[in-house]
Amino acid sequence: MQSFSAKFLLLLLTVLCFLKIAVTEEGFCSAPSIIDSNSNGNPLYSKVINPTLSPSHLQDLPGFTRSVYRNDHALITPESHVFSPLPDWRNTLGAYLVSPAMGAHFVMYIAKMQESSKSGLPPMDVERFVFVLQGSVTLHNVSGIGQTLMVDSYAYFPPNSEHLFESYESATLVVFERRYAYLENHITEHVVGSTHQQPLLDTPGEASVFQLRKLLPTSLAYDFNIHIMDFQPGEFLNVKEVHYNQHGLLLLEGQGIYRLGDSWYPVEAGDAIWMAPFVPQWYAALGKIPTRYLLYKDVNRNPL
Ligand code: UGY
Ligand code: MN
């Protein structure tokens, strides 16, 4: 009789557990991660833009965060984002994830545009790169012509170039800005594009371990580039990198282990990383879905 009740209880718990998976991703019966897609098959990066989804089983643990801030690197996880109104923007909240206060020469921030919102301009001599993570924005050029940028689309603005983004519903962007390092006889141009339109590039030294796309031209005028890197689960960086360049990274999809200096961090979609020059860095993709990350890298300038 007793063993019958025990079996019945076990069966009931199993059924409840499956029901819970069907209804919600929270709780002890955790469901596998699902990447949403829109009708074009583009990922919606939902974990990046919705902090409460990440990490689902730890979000309510008092005082717990995976965020760390060290001299030569920082990991900033979504549950520690702090938003405040962005100066010069209308109806837009921003969370700065990388800034010169850390030692970086650029800023990286998440901009949450709400209904009827408008962008402001960067300071004088500052260039700007914008990548759409959620929703869509209308980009108006100087002639007033509007262009819609959807998830995975991006735009680059040379220093001191007039531009305006508007969002009629809501949109989330990741923005990079840097004081432009001028080079005689070279100027950058306005760029608009989408990730999937960019060709796959060779990855010398990496034996084609990951897939690489660059979102900006590689010509000398540009003093940084934005890389999109894709890894299948189990793939990892071949080179244990130590280099003079700085990085700002946003994990768009997947999960894995990031080595930064002597620390090894479990990371997942939504996490942001700052890497100072010369910090040892290495990544391995784990789990069941591919990793995609977006990476700022300063290039084409003599470090002297
Ligand atoms: O190009 C790079 O420096 C890049 N492979 N670094 C990184 O992914 N941490
Ligand atoms: Mn690197």
Side-chain angles (χ1 to χ4, degrees):
M1 184 64 194
Q2 213 176 10
S3 99
F4 175 77
S5 318
K7 277 183 189 156
F8 179 74
L9 201 64
L10 194 67
L11 187 69
L12 192 68
L13 274 174
T14 314
V15 170
L16 280 176
C17 188
F18 275 114
L19 273 178
K20 193 158 173 99
I21 287 175
V23 174
T24 169
E25 277 196 30
E26 289 168 28
F28 62 91
C29 306
S30 60
S33 340
I34 292 165
I35 293 286
D36 292 331
S37 297
N38 64 17
S39 52
N40 302 326
N42 289 333
L44 289 178
Y45 304 139
S46 58
K47 282 205 166 188
V48 182
I49 48 102
N50 190 346
T52 58
L53 290 176
S54 173
S56 54
H57 54 298
L58 293 174
Q59 70 200 26
D60 289 331
L61 212 51
F64 177 82
T65 178
R66 290 180 297 115
S67 294
V68 293
Y69 173 53
R70 303 267 184 270
N71 277 345
D72 57 5
H73 68 269
L75 167 66
I76 303 191
T77 57
E79 74 282 354
S80 40
H81 289 181
V82 176
F83 284 89
S84 46
L86 274 180
D88 307 324
W89 294 51
R90 197 220 278 171
N91 282 350
T92 305
L93 296 172
Y96 282 88
L97 306 178
V98 177
S99 93
M102 289 169 157
H105 66 208
F106 66 97
V107 291
M108 166 177 168
Y109 57 97
I110 303 285
K112 281 194 176 176
M113 301 186 76
Q114 288 146 358
E115 260 177 48
S116 312
S117 48
K118 282 184 183 194
S119 62
L121 287 172
M124 276 268 285
D125 296 335
V126 168
E127 55 190 336
R128 172 183 273 173
F129 178 91
V130 172
F131 182 95
V132 183
L133 295 168
Q134 174 263 322
S136 65
V137 289
T138 304
L139 169 60
H140 300 279
N141 65 16
V142 270
S143 351
I145 298 172
Q147 186 176 8
T148 306
L149 300 191
M150 317 279 284
V151 172
D152 260 352
S153 297
Y154 58 88
Y156 166 85
F157 305 95
N160 311 320
S161 58
E162 287 282 326
H163 61 273
L164 173 71
F165 285 110
E166 268 189 296
S167 180
Y168 306 111
E169 294 186 345
S170 79
T172 310
L173 315 171
V174 57
V175 185
F176 294 86
E177 287 166 4
R178 166 180 188 183
R179 205 161 286 284
Y180 180 61
Y182 284 94
L183 203 59
E184 226 176 302
N185 302 325
H186 292 275
I187 49 160
T188 58
E189 286 181 358
H190 175 51
V191 176
V192 177
S194 283
T195 305
H196 67 272
Q197 292 167 341
Q198 303 314 311
L200 285 175
L201 301 173
D202 283 344
T203 51
E206 284 293 344
S208 305
V209 167
F210 60 87
Q211 294 190 325
L212 172 67
R213 290 179 173 86
K214 294 188 182 178
L215 304 188
L216 291 178
T218 52
S219 51
L220 268 188
Y222 295 83
D223 60 359
F224 73 88
N225 213 318
I226 300 289
H227 297 185
I228 296 285
M229 293 173 57
D230 292 307
F231 300 76
Q232 292 304 314
E235 289 183 341
F236 51 86
L237 286 175
N238 184 33
V239 181
K240 283 63 85 175
E241 296 179 17
V242 176
H243 52 61
Y244 77 92
N245 323 70
Q246 311 189 9
H247 285 317
L249 180 155
L250 182 64
L251 225 104
L252 297 171
E253 287 176 24
Q255 55 181 211
I257 302 283
Y258 228 103
R259 179 191 175 164
L260 298 165
D262 289 336
S263 304
W264 304 68
Y265 301 102
V267 291
E268 65 165 3
D271 291 351
I273 295 174
W274 166 62
M275 293 175 235
F278 296 104
V279 68
Q281 56 197 258
W282 179 85
Y283 181 67
L286 297 171
K288 291 196 161 58
I289 58 166
T291 288
R292 165 169 284 190
Y293 64 68
L294 178 152
L295 186 81
Y296 166 99
K297 182 174 187 175
D298 55 307
V299 291
N300 288 332
R301 294 296 180 273
N302 188 326
L304 257 184

